[in-house]
Amino acid sequence: MLMLVILWGLAACGGNQNNPSESTEGTSAPVTASPTPTPSPTLTPTPTPDLHEGEKRSYLTGEWIPEEEAEQRPYAVILNNLKTASPQSGIGEADILYEALTEGGITRFLGIYEDIGTDRLGSVRSARHYFVTFADEYDAIFIHFGKTSYATRKMNELGIDHVDGTGGSGASTFYRDNSIPAPHNAFTGLEQIEETVQRLGFRTSYEEDFEGHFLFREEAGQTDEKEGAVTADKVTLGFSGYISPYFEYSSEDSLYYRFQFGEAHIDYNTKEQLAFRNLIIQFVREWDIDQNGYQTMELEDASGEGYYITDGISVPITWKKAGTAGITRYYDTDGKEIELNPGKTYIAVFPDSRMDKAVIE
């Protein structure tokens, strides 16, 4: 029994050494684990919305339009400009409008259309070779009702796709308005043109290497006042004794409104006056090509002077076209290619022998 008492005592003493909770000397305070830090949330930047998703800038106007429309090959249509045939139908839809002399001191138009939204476009008249040249610069499908032999040769030379209403495959593209005397009563429309283009198998999209005819500003804005800049509130173009159209500038919408034959020039379909963001006057050497009074112009491998007019200001420019199939480029007084304001453009191909009849006020 004595031995049992001794063994029990030794066991009790050893128990106190192994229980740190009961010791107050020579021991450290219990260690408390530090809390795991909460990571800061990762901030994902909100993506900037694409304001022009599915859109592309138009080669003709510099404006944002649906991509499929921007890639569509344009139409170039010859339009009548006799007083007895005015007002024209669908002329206000043209994104670019050329005006040039034909025989007898009259002018004709070439409208370049990104999209035709009417079933009454015209009246459509016969082609002249310089209009073929302009159409080719836009990779356009050329629409006309008749042609001169000079125009036929130019179309063959350039290999331009065209629709002629005077016979053959293009005859069904046009119809006559019998309330108007011939030959000023040939009209067409989008449905007829598209059917003909499909039947003839014409390419309907731009060539892959097409770079566009113009440079455009990112946004419409005031024109830099280059050397020689002058105020341009009214622009008068005395093409001949027969026709002298003019444009008046509106500061409210920055557009130039067209007048001819003593009244506002309107579109018969919409009854709205023709208006343009940009005016270009391109002075060219021009002369009679034969005894019939047909005109020709020095346009290829050529250069000259002119004016670019926008925002109520006119600035002097130069122009140059290299070769037969090149694009006419326009340059400011510093030799840089001009940038147009986004919007519609009117181009007067004007005889340099009548420069004094192009009056800017």
Side-chain angles (χ1 to χ4, degrees):
M1 290 189 62
L2 178 61
M3 289 297 295
L4 289 172
V5 171
I6 292 169
L7 291 171
W8 179 84
L10 291 172
C13 290
N16 286 338
Q17 293 174 0
N18 294 327
N19 189 350
S21 63
E22 296 179 6
S23 173
T24 59
E25 295 181 8
T27 61
S28 301
V31 178
T32 304
S34 299
T36 302
T38 303
S40 300
T42 301
L43 298 178
T44 303
T46 303
T48 303
D50 184 355
L51 300 179
H52 300 290
E53 185 176 359
E55 293 184 324
K56 184 175 179 178
R57 294 191 76 172
S58 163
Y59 287 121
L60 303 186
T61 67
E63 297 172 331
W64 290 97
I65 60 175
E67 188 171 354
E68 63 275 11
E69 186 176 321
E71 291 294 342
Q72 178 179 292
R73 198 176 174 193
Y75 301 110
V77 186
I78 294 283
L79 296 170
N80 199 340
N81 198 33
L82 281 179
K83 184 175 182 180
T84 55
S86 298
Q88 301 88 350
S89 296
I91 190 171
E93 291 185 18
D95 297 293
I96 298 170
L97 191 68
Y98 281 82
E99 185 173 15
L101 281 168
T102 57
E103 55 280 2
I106 66 174
T107 62
R108 270 182 198 165
F109 295 113
L110 180 74
I112 313 292
Y113 292 81
E114 198 131 44
D115 186 31
I116 295 174
T118 180
D119 59 0
R120 182 182 171 89
L121 178 61
S123 64
V124 180
R125 290 306 311 272
S126 58
R128 301 293 181 265
H129 58 286
Y130 36 92
F131 288 124
V132 179
T133 297
F134 302 145
D136 183 62
E137 293 192 14
Y138 296 88
D139 192 25
I141 297 172
F142 186 48
I143 312 294
H144 58 104
F145 199 92
K147 67 278 183 188
T148 62
S149 60
Y150 307 109
T152 298
R153 285 199 291 271
K154 182 58 68 176
M155 286 186 280
N156 292 336
E157 177 187 358
L158 296 174
I160 192 169
D161 291 333
H162 68 103
V163 177
D164 183 1
T166 56
S169 58
S172 61
T173 312
F174 296 83
Y175 62 90
R176 297 280 190 179
D177 180 346
N178 292 325
S179 68
I180 302 172
H184 312 295
N185 62 351
F187 292 84
T188 187
L190 178 62
E191 184 177 346
Q192 293 95 328
I193 292 174
E194 287 186 332
E195 187 278 328
T196 303
V197 166
Q198 183 178 13
R199 175 163 45 82
L200 296 178
F202 291 160
R203 172 174 47 85
T204 56
S205 297
Y206 282 106
E207 292 275 15
E208 290 185 5
D209 60 351
F210 185 73
E211 298 178 352
H213 195 285
F214 297 112
L215 299 180
F216 290 96
R217 300 173 185 177
E218 288 297 322
E219 297 179 356
Q222 288 296 312
T223 300
D224 295 335
E225 293 200 20
K226 301 285 186 181
E227 181 181 352
V230 297
T231 298
D233 291 327
K234 183 178 180 180
V235 179
T236 304
L237 298 170
F239 278 97
S240 69
Y242 176 76
I243 185 165
S244 186
Y246 63 93
F247 298 81
E248 291 185 348
Y249 179 65
S250 169
S251 58
E252 293 183 2
D253 55 13
S254 299
L255 296 177
Y256 282 89
Y257 287 83
R258 181 181 166 98
F259 298 78
Q260 67 174 17
F261 304 126
E263 58 188 7
H265 189 176
I266 67 167
D267 184 318
Y268 177 85
N269 293 347
T270 64
K271 305 301 184 284
E272 294 181 357
Q273 188 173 2
L274 273 61
F276 302 89
R277 191 70 171 86
N278 308 292
L279 307 180
I280 293 175
I281 304 174
Q282 179 181 345
F283 294 120
V284 300
R285 181 171 172 259
E286 170 261 348
W287 67 97
D288 289 359
I289 198 172
D290 61 19
Q291 70 276 10
N292 297 313
Y294 289 127
Q295 305 297 293
T296 192
M297 300 175 188
E298 196 172 72
L299 297 168
E300 300 169 359
D301 277 325
S303 60
E305 300 176 345
Y307 295 104
Y308 171 48
I309 302 165
T310 192
D311 293 330
I313 297 172
S314 170
V315 294
I317 60 171
T318 58
W319 64 269
K320 183 176 183 180
K321 178 181 171 75
T324 301
I327 291 176
T328 303
R329 302 294 185 184
Y330 302 92
Y331 303 93
D332 64 18
T333 52
D334 296 326
K336 296 180 181 179
E337 189 170 352
I338 64 173
E339 293 183 346
L340 303 187
N341 271 319
K344 294 187 176 185
T345 299
Y346 165 87
I347 302 174
V349 186
F350 199 85
D352 61 7
S353 61
R354 295 179 64 87
M355 291 176 68
D356 61 324
K357 302 298 182 183
V359 180
I360 300 171
E361 304 173 81

